[in-house]
């Protein structure tokens, strides 16, 4: 498995399949990056290429 990348609101994947881990510990696999909410109040804590 690839390492998780902390999302610091400065960089994010623009397209492609990613796994996301939310602040509450929930994980979602093989989501389209363009379908994830990356706004200032996003609950995404970590992401990685799927």
């Amino acid at each position: 498995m690839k390492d998780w990348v902390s999302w610091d609101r400065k960089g994010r994947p623009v397209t492609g399949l990613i796994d996301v881990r939310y602040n509450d510990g929930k994980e979602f696999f093989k989501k389209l990056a363009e379908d994830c909410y990356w706004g200032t109040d996003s609950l995404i804590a970590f992401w990685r290429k799927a």
Side-chain angles (χ1 to χ4, degrees), residues 10-43:
K10 294 178 184 175
R12 66 177 182 86
V14 178
T15 62
L17 291 177
I18 61 168
D19 300 331
V20 293
R21 181 182 293 166
Y22 286 84
N23 289 326
D24 63 3
K26 291 180 183 172
E27 295 180 358
F28 296 91
F29 301 98
K30 296 186 179 177
K31 303 295 281 185
L32 285 173
E34 51 269 35
D35 290 344
C36 295
Y37 177 68
W38 299 97
T40 56
D41 58 345
S42 174
L43 298 177

